[in-house]
Structures are given as structure tokens and as C-alpha cells.
Amino acid sequence: MTDAQSISKVTEIINDSKIGMVTTINEEGALVSRPLAVQEVKDDGDMWFFTGLGTSQVAHVRADPRVNVAFGKSTEWVSVAGTAEVVTDRAKIHEMWNQVVEAWFPDGPDTPEVCLLRVDSDSAEYWTSPGGTAATVLQWVKSKVTNSRMSVGESGTVEL
């Protein structure tokens, strides 16, 4: 796959998944993950998420901006490494606001607690398993019968 095709594959998996497990580094240096709904994915893999200023992810990003965001759906997965920043720009918050976000912030985009996390993606690794579960099971059986390594699709690493 070309880099352009790989980047397209990464953004496709993210857009199809919708929810990413955002991993930050806490005060003790431990990795902490939580699910966040991706609001937008740029062609270069950069992502936007809504969150609250008082959340642990905001505190962690302000102390150490290194993050990882993992997405998975059915037979496709992607893991994106990057750096995050907390964005409090009200114009950007209004621009990205949607009805789904109102479930978490019912008072609207001017709620003082509302902010965005922008992830500047550096690289991504992705895995796909065409054919779904049945193809994966068949490949597993084949590997057992032939005593060979299982191969169930494609994977790749791409710089973003």
C-alpha cells in the first residue's frame, strides 16, 4: 500500500469506529485509557474530541501531551500515537458542536467546562482481517493443520 492509501485506511477505520480509547499518562507515569467519541478526523490523521476541563484526561495532557488513541470495529483496528492539546477556543467549540455532545453538556457550547482535545497524530499502526470472523477461524485451522504461522489480513505502519 502507498502512504496515501495507508493514511486513507487509517482515517476510514477511525471514522467507522467513532469511539476511541484515548490513553494518557497520569501523575505516577501509568497509562490510563478512557473512551471518547471522535468528532472529526482530518486527512492527515489529526483528531478532535469534546471533553470537560475538570477531567483526568485534560489534567494528564496538560502535564504530558503524549497520547495514544486506539479504535476497533469488527475486523479492523488502528492505534494512533501523537500529542494532544487542550483547546478552549469558543469559536472552535461552536463550530464543532453537535446534538450528540449535548448529551454530556446539556447547557450547550458555552458551558464553561466544555473544551476540545486536539490530537496531532504522528504515526499509526493498523490491522485488518478481510472476510470477518469466519475467515479468521479458517486461517487459524489452516495454521494448526500445516503447523505454520497464521495470516489473517494486512497490517501497516504509517507516518502522519
Side-chain angles (χ1 to χ4, degrees):
M1 245 189 218
T2 67
D3 280 351
Q5 289 171 318
S6 293
I7 292 170
S8 177
K9 185 61 169 173
V10 165
T11 58
E12 175 188 313
I13 294 169
I14 293 170
N15 281 320
D16 287 348
S17 300
K18 305 279 190 251
I19 304 292
M21 289 300 290
V22 178
T23 303
T24 56
I25 302 168
N26 73 10
E27 299 80 9
E28 290 81 36
L31 300 175
V32 180
S33 300
R34 79 281 290 151
L36 291 177
V38 68
Q39 300 302 308
E40 182 179 39
V41 182
K42 299 289 188 180
D43 290 342
D44 61 0
D46 290 356
M47 296 172 271
W48 290 87
F49 300 88
F50 273 101
T51 191
L53 287 171
T55 61
S56 61
Q57 57 265 26
V58 166
H60 297 170
V61 164
R62 285 182 167 161
D64 187 336
R66 293 175 297 166
V67 298
N68 185 274
V69 188
F71 295 88
K73 184 175 180 194
S74 187
T75 59
E76 297 183 311
W77 305 269
V78 67
S79 176
V80 180
T83 54
E85 72 170 311
V86 178
V87 177
T88 57
D89 177 357
R90 287 291 144 201
K92 187 66 176 174
I93 290 169
H94 275 270
E95 174 190 327
M96 300 194 78
W97 193 260
N98 61 70
Q99 290 183 344
V100 175
V101 179
E102 285 185 16
W104 284 273
F105 301 102
D107 293 333
D110 291 317
T111 304
E113 172 74 4
V114 174
C115 67
L116 293 162
L117 275 184
R118 184 184 72 80
V119 175
D120 181 10
S121 302
D122 296 326
S123 64
E125 292 191 45
Y126 65 92
W127 302 266
T128 64
S129 181
T133 305
T136 301
V137 170
L138 285 174
Q139 284 295 324
W140 180 80
V141 170
K142 178 182 172 187
S143 75
K144 289 302 211 180
V145 169
T146 62
N147 197 30
S148 61
R149 185 179 172 113
M150 186 170 148
S151 173
V152 292
E154 69 179 64
S155 64
T157 301
V158 62
E159 297 299 316
L160 301 169

